[in-house]
Amino acid sequence: MEILWFLLAMGLLFAVVAPYVRRRRGGGGIQQVAPGSPDAADPEAYGFLRQEEQDVRMPGPDRDLVDVLDVVQATQDWRAASQLLAGTDKEGEVRWQRVQAFAGAASLELQQRPGAGGAWLRAWRSESPKDAGGAAVHAEFLVQQAWRSSAAGTDDFRIILEEARKVSEEAALLAPGDPVPYITQLAVARGLGYSHEEFDQVWAKIIDRAPHHMGAHLAALHYWCEKWHGSREDADRFATAAAARAPRGSLLAALPLFAVYEHLPEVALVRDFYGSAVVSRAIEGALYAVHSARPDDPMLAHVRHLLVFFLVRAERWSEAMHQLVHVDGHVGALPWTMNGDPAAEYTVYRNLAVAGYEANGGSPATLPR
């Protein structure tokens, strides 16, 4: 047991000193140096943003969403949000991300200003109760509130999720072809402990509307994980089957990497765990998905962020750097959002990648973009 605590302590120490690393002369290792040392790796030399400049609201850029969020939060007028969602493709990934972003903004406002925050969402629902976008955002807001404000399994938690289910069903009636209300129901199903048969009924409605929806598959994967209502084998089976039937160019080929992430051991007892066959195979699948996906695929940033995590852990520095140049500036994605300070967590991994890259002969001049 003592060795386990020692390993955990060393891991925490490494995370703290990670931003201050340098190239070791004559070798490929990484060594701690004092902050500001001329030998220290400098992420800004690669055009990377400072930690405090990272946007934690979304995984990648969405200028229209940012502009509308700014207007809504400044004026407390919901109409711009309604117009944006009304003009967003129902079957695509962007609508789901925007619904999550609006719901998250309202939830965060309410947390910061209890009783007053998120007033624009309440006004949206009361003034335009038949607005499908407003109903979808409201349902997702309730889901986020349940997980944010209550412990899973408590009465309050269940009451909020029951209301989320009711509102998501209303949203589905208002927009029959929209998979988003049913994706929200996947989180409800996980929290309320739907049976596998009940879950499959919700999943069938999503598949009928958007069979290759990456966001929906990620939401479903949570249900099948060991910590919820499935097992490691169930999650792997679900992810592998989705990847196998995915059309060329689909990011579903990266789903097995998310399944691996959901079942990471707290302490890796296997030597070179991140270089093992299982992890390496999942990484290669995700890299293939990234290389074959459309450059404008809205889920691409999600996969790149998770790849950064695994590639750094596997000490594949150059490949990690190739992902970082595409995502730096936006860190609202797994795995960073599992930390209380996503920007800080991301920055540690980014700085490690820069240091490892330089320790093996890389430089800003050798990194293609």
Side-chain angles (χ1 to χ4, degrees), residues 313-352:
R313 289 290 188 97
E315 299 185 10
R316 295 166 63 167
W317 313 115
S318 178
E319 292 168 290
M321 291 293 288
H322 280 75
Q323 303 306 317
L324 283 165
V325 297
H326 292 286
V327 299
D328 191 77
H330 298 85
V331 296
L334 284 175
W336 326 125
T337 51
M338 298 303 293
N339 185 277
D341 189 343
E345 182 78 355
Y346 163 80
T347 302
V348 167
Y349 277 80
R350 185 194 65 188
N351 291 356
L352 279 170

Side-chain angles (χ1 to χ4, degrees), residues 154-205:
T154 62
D155 288 343
D156 287 347
F157 180 80
R158 295 188 65 86
I159 289 170
I160 297 173
L161 285 185
E162 290 286 2
E163 181 65 16
R165 174 164 58 185
K166 175 183 173 182
V167 177
S168 66
E169 290 172 349
E170 179 184 347
L173 290 175
L174 292 170
D178 188 356
V180 168
Y182 296 106
I183 301 175
T184 299
Q185 284 189 33
L186 294 180
V188 174
R190 176 161 54 97
L192 294 182
Y194 280 25
S195 68
H196 291 180
E197 292 74 17
E198 292 173 319
F199 182 87
D200 285 340
Q201 290 175 10
V202 178
W203 183 241
K205 294 175 182 178

Side-chain angles (χ1 to χ4, degrees), residues 114-131:
W120 55 270
L121 178 55
R122 293 191 291 276
W124 189 354
R125 293 293 285 138
S126 63
E127 295 171 17
S128 186
K130 299 300 183 181
D131 187 315

Side-chain angles (χ1 to χ4, degrees), residues 120-274:
W120 55 270
L121 178 55
R122 293 191 291 276
W124 189 354
R125 293 293 285 138
S126 63
E127 295 171 17
S128 186
K130 299 300 183 181
D131 187 315
V137 172
H138 185 198
E140 174 62 22
F141 165 81
L142 289 168
V143 166
Q144 293 192 25
Q145 278 297 104
W147 296 102
R148 188 189 299 270
S149 64
S150 307
T154 62
D155 288 343
D156 287 347
F157 180 80
R158 295 188 65 86
I159 289 170
I160 297 173
L161 285 185
E162 290 286 2
E163 181 65 16
R165 174 164 58 185
K166 175 183 173 182
V167 177
S168 66
E169 290 172 349
E170 179 184 347
L173 290 175
L174 292 170
D178 188 356
V180 168
Y182 296 106
I183 301 175
T184 299
Q185 284 189 33
L186 294 180
V188 174
R190 176 161 54 97
L192 294 182
Y194 280 25
S195 68
H196 291 180
E197 292 74 17
E198 292 173 319
F199 182 87
D200 285 340
Q201 290 175 10
V202 178
W203 183 241
K205 294 175 182 178
I206 295 172
I207 294 300
D208 286 345
R209 290 161 175 79
H212 306 301
H213 198 291
M214 180 69 173
H217 281 79
L218 290 175
L221 179 64
H222 290 310
Y223 175 90
W224 291 113
C225 287
E226 187 174 59
K227 59 188 173 185
W228 288 106
H229 308 294
S231 65
R232 188 184 303 262
E233 292 74 23
D234 288 333
D236 182 66
R237 188 181 306 114
F238 174 81
T240 302
R245 64 173 178 263
R248 180 172 176 77
S250 169
L251 287 167
L252 288 175
L255 202 60
L257 187 64
F258 287 86
V260 172
Y261 174 76
E262 291 294 338
H263 296 90
L264 288 177
E266 292 187 11
V267 178
L269 300 179
V270 178
R271 180 177 175 85
D272 192 23
F273 171 78
Y274 289 91

Side-chain angles (χ1 to χ4, degrees), residues 294-306:
R294 299 190 330 269
D296 63 344
D297 190 314
M299 293 300 292
L300 190 54
H302 286 273
V303 180
R304 290 191 188 278
H305 279 291
L306 195 63

